[in-house]
Amino acid sequence: NAGVTQTPKFQVLKTGQSMTLQCAQDMNHNSMYWYRQDPGMGLRLIYYSASEGTTDKGEVPNGYNVSRLNKREFSLRLESAAPSQTSVYFCATSRGQPQHFGDGTRLSIL
Amino acid sequence: DAKTTQPPSMDCAEGRAANLPCNHSTISGNEYVYWYRQIHSQGPQYIIHGLKNNETNEMASLIITEDRKSSTLILPHATLRDTAVYYCIVRVGGAGGGADGLTFGKGTHLIIQP
């Protein structure tokens, strides 16, 4: 999806390891979001940032931290990965509505 | 945000119109109806949205009932590439819409048959 770039695209971790998922946008949007999607389910909101310098918890924030580094970048950190965090992670951006999504990071935790 | 109800799956023949229903009986006056779709392994893609009038764009048409309690997304000439999960989401929207996240249900898995 043009405009929202997620890195890495794939990652395998061992339980207890830490990592940071990166999201960058060039759409000049104020709001950014992190979702997770488990098999057969819709997306669930982890954290969001309405504007640079602010972050808020979503539906499933436990085990995650976020940083809104600047207007373009919003990162998601797993401090101590657990198998339950195996999922596909999507970043999104918006100016009001609608939201624009990246292509996801597929994360497996063994 | 109002809750929505969608059928879990639907089939449609290629070249025919695909009509995807959504019930949102608890919708509030300032809530819009949004449709997104997710093609396998990709991020969700915005399709269309509306408040109370019918809307059309290059991808689809959105028909909202007069009482706003239900809506139908219409893909006029479905192709195999339209096979995807379609999500109907109701929330405060438009340019001044809230900056909080979207609530996704399980959506409708639309399968276009050749």
Side-chain angles (χ1 to χ4, degrees), chain A residues 31-88:
Chain A
S31 303
M32 298 187 73
Y33 311 82
W34 277 106
Y35 295 86
R36 62 176 287 174
Q37 184 175 33
D38 299 319
M41 304 291 290
L43 282 70
R44 291 184 293 168
L45 183 67
I46 305 172
Y47 271 93
Y48 68 99
S49 170
S51 62
E52 185 178 351
T54 69
T55 61
D56 287 283
K57 295 179 180 179
E59 180 185 355
V60 288
N62 291 344
Y64 305 95
N65 289 302
V66 291
S67 296
R68 183 71 182 269
L69 305 172
N70 47 55
K71 189 172 185 178
R72 291 188 63 249
E73 299 172 291
F74 189 37
S75 63
L76 178 72
R77 183 163 178 83
L78 287 70
E79 290 290 352
S80 179
S84 61
Q85 294 177 304
T86 293
S87 191
V88 182

Side-chain angles (χ1 to χ4, degrees), chain A residues 4-53:
Chain A
V4 182
T5 303
Q6 293 186 234
T7 55
K9 295 188 184 304
F10 302 92
Q11 185 70 48
V12 179
L13 294 178
K14 294 181 179 179
T15 297
Q17 286 186 314
S18 63
M19 81 160 293
T20 300
L21 280 62
Q22 306 286 355
C23 177
Q25 54 111 350
D26 60 4
M27 306 180 77
N28 200 34
H29 287 168
N30 290 325
S31 303
M32 298 187 73
Y33 311 82
W34 277 106
Y35 295 86
R36 62 176 287 174
Q37 184 175 33
D38 299 319
M41 304 291 290
L43 282 70
R44 291 184 293 168
L45 183 67
I46 305 172
Y47 271 93
Y48 68 99
S49 170
S51 62
E52 185 178 351

